[in-house]
Amino acid sequence: MERLIRDAMKARSISFKEALNEAARLGLRGRQDKQPRKFVQKTFRMGEGQDFRWDKALALADAIEDEELSRRLSLRK
């Protein structure tokens, strides 16, 4: 990449900074012309009979943390 920028410097008689900025602008413009690919999330089955509610995982983690804090506080007495 550096070699390409240095070649552009010599060909156009511009500074490294100008060549680098020009390359960045051209690269950004080139990406806008392309259509973005559609994002597809891969999913995997976790097996049959899952009783755990994943939408309640944070609430469960909070409850477990609260129980542990209560246990530690009761040991201090």
Side-chain angles (χ1 to χ4, degrees):
M1 184 60 129
E2 182 181 353
R3 174 71 4 225
L4 294 173
I5 293 172
R6 295 216 182 266
D7 290 344
M9 287 172 52
K10 290 178 185 174
R12 295 186 187 94
S13 299
I14 57 177
S15 70
F16 182 81
K17 180 179 176 181
E18 288 172 320
L20 182 62
N21 286 337
E22 184 178 299
R25 284 188 200 100
L26 288 173
L28 290 174
R29 275 193 225 121
R31 288 180 180 232
Q32 289 177 351
D33 294 341
K34 297 178 183 176
Q35 286 285 7
R37 293 186 328 184
K38 182 179 176 184
F39 176 77
V40 177
Q41 178 66 50
K42 293 181 182 178
T43 59
F44 302 93
R45 290 191 56 82
M46 297 181 66
E48 298 296 324
Q50 291 289 325
D51 294 331
F52 186 74
R53 298 263 325 256
W54 289 101
D55 58 335
K56 303 292 182 185
L58 290 176
L60 178 62
D62 286 340
I64 292 170
E65 184 179 17
D66 290 346
E67 288 175 13
E68 179 62 17
L69 289 173
S70 295
R71 186 187 69 79
R72 287 183 184 178
L73 287 173
S74 67
L75 293 176
R76 287 186 184 176
K77 293 181 180 179

